[in-house]
């Protein structure tokens, strides 16, 4: 078998910089089981947002050991990361 390039080249910089695109690409390629649960929301607070996040990620709000990692989709290398207990 001879190696050949895919007709649809990836723009790696965009893929690596955007967490949502990276997550979706992993799932599309059959590696979803290797990724943590993820959800994306508009960058806008509402009183319902904490419950929407817990529901989307199937997180129990009353588990004191459950932690959420909140990260802006367009940031890399730990910039903009917040780790918080799920019930807060």
């Amino acid at each position: 078998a001879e190696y050949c390039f895919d007709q649809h080249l990836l723009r790696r910089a965009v893929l690596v910089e955007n967490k949502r695109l990276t997550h979706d690409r992993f799932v599309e390629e059959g590696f979803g089981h290797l990724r943590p649960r993820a959800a994306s929301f508009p960058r806008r607070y509402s009183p319902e947002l904490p419950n929407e996040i817990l529901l989307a990620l199937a997180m129990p709000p009353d588990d004191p050991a459950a932690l959420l990692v909140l990260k802006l989709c367009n940031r890399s290398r730990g910039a903009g990361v917040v780790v918080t207990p799920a019930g807060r």
Side-chain angles (χ1 to χ4, degrees), residues 19-87:
K19 301 299 172 247
R20 186 69 211 184
L21 286 175
T22 303
H23 175 82
D24 291 347
R25 188 62 188 238
F26 265 78
V27 172
E28 288 171 11
E29 297 298 326
F31 297 105
H33 62 284
L34 299 175
R35 302 285 303 158
R37 290 185 300 256
S40 58
F41 300 90
R43 198 182 310 175
R44 176 173 51 247
Y45 180 78
S46 74
E48 298 82 28
L49 183 59
N51 287 331
E52 290 175 20
I53 293 171
L54 293 176
L55 184 63
L57 299 176
M59 298 287 296
D62 54 352
D63 182 355
L67 296 174
L68 292 174
V69 177
L70 306 176
K71 184 169 181 62
L72 297 174
C73 282
N74 60 350
R75 296 291 182 251
S76 62
R77 297 191 198 135
V81 172
V82 176
V83 179
T84 183

